Amino acid sequence: MTASTGGPAAGEGTGTRRLGSRIAARAAGGGMRVFLVLVGLFWLMPTVGLLLSSLRGPSDISESGWWQVFSAPAQLTTENYSALLANDTITGSLVSTVLITVPAALLVVVFGSLAGYAFAWLDFPGRDWWFLVVVGLLVVPVQVALVPVSKLFGTIGIFETTLGVVLFHTAFGLPFAIFLLRNFFAEIPRELLEAARLDGAGEIRLFTQVVLPLGGPAIASLGIFQFLWVWNDMLVALIFANSESPPITVALQQQVRQFGNNIDVLAPGAFVSMVIPLVVFFAFQRQFVSGVMAGAVK
């Protein structure tokens, strides 16, 4: 009798503890979600502020902060973007930025993929030593090469040209690209490559039909990183780009230096220069996340 009366009490206690654990877990999960939402809102606040500032007139911007829009929505206007489109310097700088960023990103992806495959699966003399050289180049700062590369580009006639900026970004983007893709390609099962070779696949076919599809997430991640780095760069563009058609970062800096109060052009220009990389990121978000997760698992 004693044992029978103690059983339900013990079961009831266990059920209570389980219910308490579930409630605590849900409360903790809900608290974490609220915390992450608050962090996300705090992180987006500068972007929202820049967007609202770009939709306000110069007088409104000088008189009050962007948060006044919520109490006076009549301040919102698209005249700033009309002025931006009428500014030949800003619109031309956007074109120059695209002409620099897209080739620089594509060249790094193409040559990085080829070199990464070679270091991972091809045998050639001094392969490991050459890879150590590539790894060593990762620690070379960009600032060290500015003066000698400027002299070299001036000698061969590509200083202050789009080609010079593209080549500089490509050269300094390749070490990281090779290092990243070599490590990713090396994780591909050897049996898969051997089976493709037994089926008569050569190195070119093996690279294009087996390695590239499997390395798609890592290649997409690399392309996004390179695109964002080149698009947002100002130091290299300030030195090597043509001063008559500078990229957007340099053009905005020049606008601040020459006309410090023309916020009606600076605010929408800065927002547009920020939105385009965001669009590229979200367009390839799935591939980016897959590449990051694959690298974490491996």
Side-chain angles (χ1 to χ4, degrees), residues 100-263:
I100 291 173
T101 305
V102 174
L106 290 178
L107 288 174
V108 167
V109 168
V110 171
F111 288 111
S113 300
L114 292 170
Y117 173 75
F119 279 113
W121 293 109
L122 297 183
D123 292 327
F124 55 90
R127 183 185 67 174
D128 295 336
W129 289 105
W130 283 112
F131 185 70
L132 289 177
V133 172
V134 172
V135 174
L137 291 175
L138 288 172
V139 302
V140 177
V142 175
Q143 293 81 357
V144 173
L146 293 178
V147 174
V149 174
S150 299
K151 294 181 178 179
L152 174 63
F153 283 1
T155 302
I156 61 180
I158 60 173
F159 186 71
E160 288 194 348
T161 63
T162 300
L163 177 61
V165 183
V166 171
L167 291 179
F168 190 95
H169 282 301
T170 302
F172 274 85
L174 276 176
F176 175 74
I178 296 172
F179 175 77
L180 175 69
L181 296 181
R182 182 266 178 191
N183 292 337
F184 191 92
F185 292 160
E187 297 294 334
I188 297 176
R190 180 179 294 273
E191 293 78 9
L192 183 62
L193 301 180
E194 294 297 335
R197 288 192 177 95
L198 291 176
D199 291 337
E203 296 299 334
I204 297 179
R205 183 180 175 186
L206 189 67
F207 174 73
T208 56
Q209 298 185 8
V210 178
V211 175
L212 285 184
L214 293 176
I219 295 174
S221 300
L222 172 65
I224 292 174
F225 277 124
Q226 181 69 11
F227 183 93
L228 296 179
W229 180 58
V230 178
W231 182 278
N232 295 320
D233 170 74
M234 181 177 174
L235 176 62
V236 177
L238 188 63
I239 296 175
F240 292 96
N242 190 340
S243 58
E244 297 181 357
S245 57
I248 184 65
T249 53
V250 178
L252 291 175
Q253 185 268 343
Q254 292 175 348
Q255 292 286 317
V256 173
R257 184 178 59 187
Q258 296 176 2
F259 312 104
N261 59 349
N262 62 341
I263 192 64

Side-chain angles (χ1 to χ4, degrees), residues 50 53-55 61 80-81 262-272:
L50 181 61
S53 297
S54 68
L55 294 172
I61 294 175
N80 292 344
Y81 287 92
N262 62 341
I263 192 64
D264 56 324
V265 174
L266 294 176
F271 185 76
V272 169

